[in-house]
Amino acid sequence: MNDQNAPQTPPPPPPSGQRPPAASQTSTGLDPKLAGLLCYILGIITGLIFFLIEKSNDVVRFHAAQSIVFSGAVIVLWIVLMIVGLILTSISWTLGNLFGLLTLVLWLGLFVVWVVLLIKGYSGEKWKLPVLGDMAERIASIASDVKATDIRVLDLREVLGYTDYFIV
């Protein structure tokens, strides 16, 4: 009659030596959410690391590819903004200062996007940036389709003077 006082039996443990199945494991052994977050921590560096070592989880590979593409775009943008800033400063000190303020606002916006990417990576959600996300998705899908099954090594020492071997 009073089921609240009845002892509740816990679910049986998994068989010895086995872990309960996770929703989606990574080949690194990390939780997929943690791996998604770590892809963005150091930009290109951690993006490349996870892109190269992750073989089984497509979401982590996507976040790694998006981290590489986003970080590469930020680096290119930084170079362009430095050149434009130097040119504007050499023309007029006022123009250089105004451009510097505009650049500061842009960097703050990019920081917010980076934090959002960290959060989305940790949530396990496959969240795409408008243009860069499509590029990252294509890169991740191409890389997951490529399998090294038939490797050939070509000896090019006598044909070309600038290389020894070419791996196909």
Side-chain angles (χ1 to χ4, degrees), residues 45 60 88:
I45 297 168
V60 174
L88 289 177

Side-chain angles (χ1 to χ4, degrees), residues 9 15 31 42 80 83 85 93 106 145 151 159:
T9 58
D31 177 47
L42 296 178
V80 168
I83 292 170
W93 186 256
L106 180 67
D145 292 342
I151 297 176
V159 178

Side-chain angles (χ1 to χ4, degrees), residues 120-148:
K120 294 297 184 177
Y122 189 70
S123 73
E125 182 180 340
K126 192 174 178 181
W127 186 74
K128 296 189 319 183
L129 290 169
V131 174
L132 303 177
D134 293 331
M135 291 171 56
E137 194 169 50
R138 276 185 270 155
I139 291 169
S141 69
I142 288 170
S144 66
D145 292 342
V146 174
K147 305 286 186 231

Side-chain angles (χ1 to χ4, degrees), residues 20-82:
S24 177
Q25 283 289 5
T26 63
S27 59
T28 60
L30 291 173
D31 177 47
K33 291 181 177 185
L34 179 61
L37 172 112
L38 291 176
C39 289
Y40 295 106
I41 289 290
L42 296 178
I44 281 183
I45 297 168
T46 52
L48 275 172
I49 290 170
F50 278 96
F51 190 76
L52 294 174
I53 65 174
E54 180 56 51
K55 303 295 181 208
S56 63
N57 193 304
D58 291 336
V59 175
V60 174
R61 286 184 66 84
F62 166 76
H63 283 297
Q66 185 163 262
S67 174
I68 294 167
V69 172
F70 176 72
S71 300
V74 168
I75 290 169
V76 168
L77 181 66
W78 176 70
I79 292 169
V80 168
L81 290 177
M82 290 294 290

